[in-house]
Amino acid sequence: MNLPTTRNIALATTKYCTAIFLYLFFSLSAMAQSSDEENPNISLQEVKREFVVIAGNSEHPVLIKEESNLTYYCKEYRATVQVAEFYNDMETLDDVDILVDGSKKHGIIPKKEFYESDGIFYSDARVCYFNLPLKNQGSVSTVRFKKTYLDPKYFASIHFLQPQPVTKGEVVIRVPSWMKLDIKEYNFGQYGIQKQVSQQGSETVYRFVMENLPALKREPFSPGFTHYSPHILIMTRYAETQQGRQNYFNTLNDQYAWYHQLIMDARNDEPFVKEKAQEITKGLSADADKVRHIFQWVQDNIRYIAFEDGIAGFRPEKGSEVMRKKYGDCKGMANLLVEMLQSIGLDARHCWIGTRHLVYDYSTPSLAVDNHMIAVWMNNKKPVYLDATEKYIGIDELAERIQGRQTLIEDNANYILDRVPVREPGQNTLFEKRSLSIEGNNLKGHVIQSWKGENRVALLEGINSIKQENQNIVLKNYLSRGKNNFEISNLRINNLTDYNNELSVEYDLNWKNVLAAFNNEAYLELDNRRKFEDLKIDTAKRKLPYWFQFKDHIVFETTLRIPADKKVTGIPASLKIERPGYRFSGSYSVNDTALVYRCEIALLNTVLGTGEFRQWNEDVLQLKDFYNQQIVLTTRK
Amino acid sequence: MKKMALRLTVCLLLFVSAIPKGSAQSKSEEKYRKESEKIRNEVWAWDKPEFNNTAVPDKYSNTSQVVIAHHTELVADSRSKLIFYGLGFNSEKAQTLTEIVRERVKVNDKSAVEEFSELSFTRFEAKSGFLRNNRSTTYVGVRIVKPDKSVKEVNADDMVLTLDSDNEKKAKLAIPDLLPGDIIDYFIATEQKMSDDYAPKQYNILLFDESPVLHYSFHGQLGKKYAIDYRSYNGAPDLTVTKNKDKEVIIDVEKKDMPPYESSLWISPQRQLPLIRMNISLGYRGFMSDKYLGAAKPGEVNKDIDTDEIVKDLAKDYSQDFLYRYSKSEYDDIADDAHKKGQSVGLNIKDMPEDEKAAYLYYYARFVRLLALEPGNVKRSINIGDYTFNGFPILINCILKGGDIDAGIVVASPRLGFRMNEVLDADDLVSAAYLKNSKKIIHIGSIYDHPFMIPQSMSGEKDTRTMELKKKILMLTPASTTRLASVGGGFALPSTNAAQNTHLEELKINLNPGETKLSVQRTATLTGYYKHSWQRKLILYEDYYEQERKLVGEKETMLEALAGNQKTSWMVENVKRALADARKKQMEECIDEAKSWFEQEVTDLKDFKIESMGVRHTDPDFVFSESFLLDGLVKKAGSNIIFEIGKIQGQPLAIKDNQRKREQDVYMPYARSIGYDLRIQIPEGYSVEGVDALKKSVENETGYFKTEARVEGQVITVTVKKGYFHNFEPASNWDKMLAFMDASNEWENAKLLFKKN
């Protein structure tokens, strides 16, 4: 079952390998699946959620009991809302109570299933779901969920938005004096959420009151919703219980210690890991070469399959197991990489990181703040980041999703806080150079194209997902954009296997019927790529910032030899747009024998804020206008 | 992308679980594990040399994956096979069909490794020969053969559960240590209960695959209680069917060196690809068995059943259904009610000619039975256009007979389905009511159909049969029910031509110098089989209902009828809002339709109007009009303008290099034509060049692409026409088809220059 929850979107947009993220979104609870767009006449008249910290038993000394009551209201006409609640091994679903117009006689039987999501092969995530009818205008149906969190570490956040607008909402957290936790607020600003803190006996009561909240907005290419959704991060520090002091994450030290213990448990000393590392690096002397070869071996030979079953969502698989099975998740791959590098005497470490989809960093110790593990090679004490889940990325390249992010690097009993470097768009250059001449109404010549960085990664992902016997055909189709008049011959692909160098293709081109001849004039458009011309943002609909996948950099050059019987009598005016976040430029130049066209697009920043939309649209329009201009060739008399 | 499939379902007696490590095992789990191990040992021990093969011919060395061997065992209550497998499956009490599918596949690239890296459900469903399956238990086995020929067995009990309910479980398995160059050897075994289930189970053997198959084999062994009908198609080898000393039915077929099949454009798998079909059923000797219930006898084996036998089986089904329905007399009521309503609008249906009367009854029945609002299901009613129906031959028969019209049923095989002389069961057939005197067809495939339309699936079919359903019998006995229907020879159904299935665009185009968007006034006319998807997208239920209400003589509007009934009056506001919602969405549908047809950005769409819904035989064309701004076709050259007029047809079908050689006949949905009548206003202060160069003409016996252009004053008139004459072409005509399709594709580059004076 594929539920369009905020979880789904988050999971789909990142390669998560730990259950941390799953737990984060489990605490969202009771997120009905029908969005405001689907059922505009359904609202949540009232949402009341209470979380109470209580003493547990010897197995689970501290429990958090949740009771959530949601009252759905039908504004206009009969509809059905799909309601779902997630749970798992650490977060039990104890009871579900449903009333339809005040009656229990509704015949609804909630279904309970494993929850499958893209990117996770298997997890202990489960979902309870059912269709809730609202029969008439004015109908009210209520749902009550009761849950228990078995370990406060996993009680990491509470989000306030729902798929439907909320008329009145309240979230209450009752914390006994023996429990130490802190709460941090995010994105409250525009929503008018009121916080009240009071003492009731020995309990501290946190009350969050809200009115007229809009429905949770979901848009493609938007930030992870921790960036914009109002919520609280709950940092459980420690608890003084009958079973003694229970330490959670009082400081980052505690969080690191817990992580470190998990990786220590996953150590092994299997000789075949070292043998393999030695085999791969045989004959290599420079450390950097050794690291490069081992890194690529892991990229090429270990498939990403994530098992996130309870504690398995946090503890990495032993490197030897990952090597034996030839699959693993980010933790397993990182662990294997570290073990292989260490086995040949290199200083390799484990490194935890939260990808850009998360708003947090390690200043707020919590399971919610990170969602990924990579390896680090300390090259003369300088960390070189190695993310083996990024297939086809070179050792000197970094994926956008981890650039600039804070890292927690293993340093025995201690840790190092660092930050992944930010790369320039030049890391991802896509370059195309055409050398063409005119034959009748056709252009003929030779083309070279090259891909670097994340552009190369995207192309290789596409090529390797195709059966090898079809790769040439599919690649030709991609290069020609499916146009039959863009005839490609003698296609050569250079370098499909060394991810540390650019991938390039070369081919001969016969581009037919491109010149439009009218009497003694001919009109020509050289740029059939026309990158970015369709990226206008619908400001009437879009409310969230736009996130580009990576800092794209595209350079397109064409040299056109002008035959002796023709001269260029009209070229479009140049284009030059420079903004803090992006650059568009295009130009034509002419000499006696050739016309040279150059177009360059660079994204300097992958985030386009809502305040920038208007300017962006104007600039895209200018770019499109530039593309629409024709070259004019006149026949010499 | 295909994935290997596995599905575990469990009956109440057996319990399957992926055992999380460290948890206790129940007795039934223990039993499952033992059985699982047993069957693995048995299957790996098969004495089949093809499953020891590791070599692949050089010609396939660059192929993503090569199926070295594929074998299916289908076993049903076979005494010897039960002993052979040594498994209970509880089969000593229950009758079951057991299917074991084993494949040995060489994976040569990353995409193949990815495909086989997980066992999940869909692969099994793709590999199983059953169309529908009540699986109860499934077992799997997986081995990896390395290039050095070492063999590693995957621990199949490492499966993980993804559905865990009392009577159904689903699981999947990640395959370890699989790399390009390895061979994966796996099997999936499943059982299906047959107790007291006499319905035939259809089983197909497909002798084509996207990957080359070096050795394909099938072995079936059915207990003596079973019966089988079978047929081979399109050059597939015959099954070898024999009986052993226990009177069990033994079925075998083998094929070697199957080249990879690349799916192509305009193919009918049923008529062109090699396959074998079987219907397997439990025989029945009881009361009213084969004569009355159509049940097969135990041990019955039928090769290539005669079509007429199958049509008779269909007739039996129809007759029982007809009797049941007709005995209700409700159809007499429909006819009477239609008569009264007709009179209220000045029509006397009793005096109408037969065809007209039939049409009137059709429209009335369509209105009261399909268009009428279902108070309990407003959503369904509003979206009734999305539903397709089987033609309602019985219903229509009933209604026509209620109106004293002599009607029958014509039966054919669908033109893209199995040939009429190759059908295996009644599900292969399609049928429609018809007027016996005029042989006109009366069929409801969708709410937009009208009388005398030949369903697309039956168009041009020559080999048909007819049935007559008797209205009454003297005494209802098992024997007499079989005489309710009589089957006779059929008649050739006419085919439609390109002119009957058209999409015509009449566009008035204005260019605004300085802008890149065209102002377009559009009138679109769709006829014949072209109409349906546009009608579905653009016609509002509320408007359709209202039009028909008046025509059939229904006085009250929908909302008035609801308000006037105590039981439904509470719904009025609900329905009003639902209709308003649908109307609001219609504008989005219009914009979507225009964008998708012209394949360019469309803005400022207004004045949308449906001129004719095309839902009546007297006015069968679907016509609508609107205006909008169209982007993407105008380029600038200084002060001059280039109009890329060729793109007005969107992206015509482009035949790829690997599709240009064709050995298979061409089965298209229907003969059809597309046309554009353009009237382009020359902007003031501009002259036009390039009009003559727009002219093109390619025509042959398969179709045409023709353009004409001329200037008349300040208006350029351009007509673009493309047509496919037939719904079928032999492969030898493919080059002729390419000629006009390529011409259409090349014309995409056509341009006009508007030069500033």
Side-chain angles (χ1 to χ4, degrees), chain B residues 239-256:
Chain B
L239 292 178
T240 305
V241 182
T242 55
K243 289 202 182 177
N244 65 10
K245 59 177 174 52
D246 294 321
K247 295 183 186 171
E248 293 167 349
V249 180
I250 310 294
I251 307 158
D252 286 287
V253 70
E254 184 182 272
K255 193 162 162 70
K256 292 183 185 175

Side-chain angles (χ1 to χ4, degrees), chain A residues 38 40 74-78 112-116 120-123 126 135-137 299-305 307 309 317 323-327 392 464-471 473 476-477 481-485 488 499 512-521 523 525 530 536 624-625 627-632, chain B residues 1 20 61-65 108-111 113-119 121 158 160-164 172-179 210-211 262 375-376 516 570 573-575 577-578 581 601 631-632 634-638 640 642 644 647 651 654-658 660 689-690 742 745-746 748-749 751-753 755:
Chain A
E38 291 166 22
C74 177
K75 281 192 278 194
E76 293 183 342
Y77 57 87
R78 180 190 185 109
K112 292 177 184 173
E113 291 177 358
F114 278 92
Y115 178 68
E116 291 190 69
I120 308 283
F121 178 79
Y122 173 74
S123 76
R126 285 171 179 73
K135 293 180 180 169
N136 301 304
Q137 185 187 19
Q299 286 174 303
D300 281 344
N301 290 280
I302 309 297
R303 275 171 283 130
Y304 184 88
I305 293 182
F307 283 75
D309 182 10
E317 183 114 57
M323 180 173 279
R324 182 185 70 80
K325 293 191 294 195
K326 297 293 187 305
Y327 64 73
Y392 315 119
N464 283 300
S465 69
I466 307 282
K467 293 182 178 192
Q468 59 189 15
E469 63 267 35
N470 295 334
Q471 279 174 1
I473 295 170
K476 273 190 188 177
N477 209 40
R481 297 290 188 264
K483 297 289 185 186
N484 274 8
N485 71 328
I488 293 174
Y499 312 145
K512 291 159 74 171
N513 297 316
V514 177
L515 262 80
F518 302 96
N519 296 322
N520 66 335
E521 279 185 338
Y523 296 82
E525 188 180 308
R530 299 172 69 99
K536 189 178 159 205
K624 187 168 177 171
D625 206 48
Y627 289 141
N628 282 343
Q629 306 282 338
Q630 306 280 293
I631 300 161
V632 184
Chain B
M1 183 168 71
S61 58
N62 192 42
T63 307
S64 173
Q65 49 182 280
N108 284 328
D109 65 11
K110 283 184 179 179
S111 79
V113 167
E114 187 64 32
E115 184 179 328
F116 285 94
S117 63
E118 297 171 24
L119 271 180
F121 304 105
D158 279 345
V160 291
L161 276 178
T162 54
L163 173 64
D164 186 4
K172 51 182 180 174
L173 173 67
I175 308 295
D177 196 22
L178 184 65
L179 296 172
E210 284 177 354
S211 306
E262 208 165 305
T516 54
W570 61 273
E573 288 308 310
N574 269 359
V575 171
R577 284 185 177 86
D581 228 21
E601 189 61 32
D631 204 353
V634 172
K635 304 288 163 69
K636 292 176 189 167
N640 298 338
I642 299 280
E644 295 188 326
K647 290 184 179 168
Q651 167 75 69
I655 306 296
K656 300 280 165 267
D657 284 346
N658 60 332
R660 297 190 76 82
E689 290 182 28
D742 286 346
N745 216 269
E746 281 158 22
E748 194 198 353
N749 298 311
K751 296 178 177 72
L752 286 173
L753 171 69
K755 204 161 181 177

Side-chain angles (χ1 to χ4, degrees), chain B residues 256-269:
Chain B
K256 292 183 185 175
D257 297 325
M258 287 163 44
Y261 167 71
E262 208 165 305
S263 61
S264 191
L265 195 53
W266 297 322
I267 285 285
S268 164

